Amino acid sequence: MRSYISSTPAVARRRRSALALLATSTGAAVVVIISGTIGGLRINTTPSEPLGLWRVAPLDRPVQVGDMVFVCPPQTDAISEGVKRGYLRWGLCPGGFGPLIKTVAAVAGQRIDVASAITIDGRRIANSNLVAQDGLGRRLRPYSGGTIPSGFLFLHSPFPGSWDSRYFGPVPASGVLGLAKQVLTYAP
């Protein structure tokens, strides 16, 4: 039988270990938050682009076709539907969701045609086939197509299940936070 007195040092050691673990975890969380805020670091948890740590790099020129960007999409009906369905993760964009990482496929003045795949100014975009439903069998409504208005961008990801402008349409260029640069990522 153990006495209370003889177990006190063991209890004290366990408490110190628990407190040290808590302090270390809290410190690590603070470092990640500060790094994310100051260093522009973000974690991508969606398969549309490689998973892992990314950096928001400043953009000191107009957005161009081919740029991979972080963007906060507007609060439209299509985006609200995406939030309800869980296509968007929690984050700091207006509306409470995280920024998307997408490639700019078209800019203002370019023509988007939607059929079984996307064509921009008459050229079919690789890996742009549309799907009729998501992985849970819910119907997906494609963007109707048209000319990209001034100040807007058409976003794309080559991932077959990506939820991008094929479904929610062009987004305001003002929502671009910066270029998306991989830091420590992996493709599953």
Side-chain angles (χ1 to χ4, degrees), residues 60-126:
D60 57 358
R61 58 169 173 74
V63 177
Q64 300 171 356
V65 170
D67 285 344
M68 185 174 289
V69 296
F70 276 97
V71 62
C72 286
Q75 294 180 31
T76 63
D77 289 342
I79 298 298
S80 294
E81 180 71 18
V83 170
K84 287 178 195 167
R85 290 183 175 194
Y87 301 156
L88 300 172
R89 306 288 196 253
W90 178 88
L92 300 176
C93 288
F97 47 83
L100 304 173
I101 302 172
K102 302 292 180 193
T103 299
V104 176
V107 295
Q110 292 189 280
R111 172 84 187 158
I112 307 296
D113 290 303
V114 180
S116 62
I118 301 295
T119 59
I120 299 175
D121 293 337
R123 291 187 320 267
R124 186 179 186 281
I125 301 304

Side-chain angles (χ1 to χ4, degrees), residues 71 73 79 100 102-106 112 114 118 130 141-145 148 152-157 162-172:
V71 62
I79 298 298
L100 304 173
K102 302 292 180 193
T103 299
V104 176
I112 307 296
V114 180
I118 301 295
L130 279 88
R141 290 180 284 283
Y143 168 62
S144 60
I148 305 296
F152 281 75
L153 309 168
F154 191 87
L155 305 174
H156 176 69
S157 170
S162 178
W163 191 66
D164 54 31
S165 287
R166 290 177 275 189
Y167 304 103
F168 56 73
V171 299

